Amino acid sequence: MPVQSSKQVGFDARYVEALLLDESNIKSRDYTSGLELLRKYSGIPEDQLIFHVAEIQRRAYAICPYPYIGLFRFLVCSLSEHPLYPDILARLAQDAKLVDLGCCFAQDIRKLAYDGAPTRNCTAIDLEPRFFSISEDLFQDRGRLEASFVGADIFDADEKSWTELEGNVDIVHASSLFHLFGLERQRRIACLVSRIVKPAPGSLVVGLQLAAKEKAEHIPIFNDQEPSFGHSLESMQAMWNDAAKDTESTAGSLLRWQVDLTPRDVPKSHRIGFLGDNRLTEVLWVAKLVDGAG
């Protein structure tokens, strides 16, 4: 399949050039969680595994050449790496509702299913609904997964998808999403998330994203037209504070967001393209609704 050029889609060419569309990318990086999921959940034979993944990547990259796809990040089950993952599994077993925001291929929901969590209350949301069918081909589970898949724009807060979720979600997973945008659009996402979560202590937002190693600053992660904002703990806490003030679902109650970050090194083998910027690191993060008096 032909791949769109960086000029056609408006991406910075230096990122696209770093994303080699060949099987060596899979073998040279640590994608243990995703490959294990394909072996055990999907039943992909070992001798077909690399070809299967590479073919899926080529199909998705032809739709939109996101660095996330070029780097095979859809093989990273980042939710299962989060310190709160055991708690999330337990809450889903008690019928908690989870939204995977910016899900791409929804590998994290498949990992939840493989680990025994019911997925009937899970909703996978992405701007590009064509990824949903590709994800079923990737994981070979068409008709088997109970989760719902919804195409929606996070910057169109009036879409029916968001109004139906408003105030009903216990847990939001949002990995590799916020860091794509500047601070103002990140605030808009935080406000949207504040609307859809239950306005009650214990509601969670968790994720893995790029962040600033030292001070918060604008860094051209995805393109030069809208430099992304790399957070520090202080700037992320301030953003969620603003979201609570600006969102009707939390403004009328005595609740606040409590934010925590767990930094971790970006593997050396991953530092190509935008990840070559040494100002960046990865963080596992959580924003949790707590009693405002606490």
Side-chain angles (χ1 to χ4, degrees), residues 263-275:
R264 67 180 198 176
D265 291 335
V266 177
K268 187 176 180 180
S269 61
H270 287 221
R271 284 204 174 273
I272 64 172
F274 61 93
L275 286 175

Side-chain angles (χ1 to χ4, degrees), residues 25-46:
N25 267 342
I26 307 174
K27 295 177 179 177
S28 66
R29 291 174 175 80
D30 183 10
Y31 296 117
T32 304
S33 59
L35 292 174
E36 194 70 2
L37 196 61
L38 289 170
R39 291 184 186 101
K40 295 186 175 179
Y41 169 78
S42 306
I44 307 296
E46 190 68 34

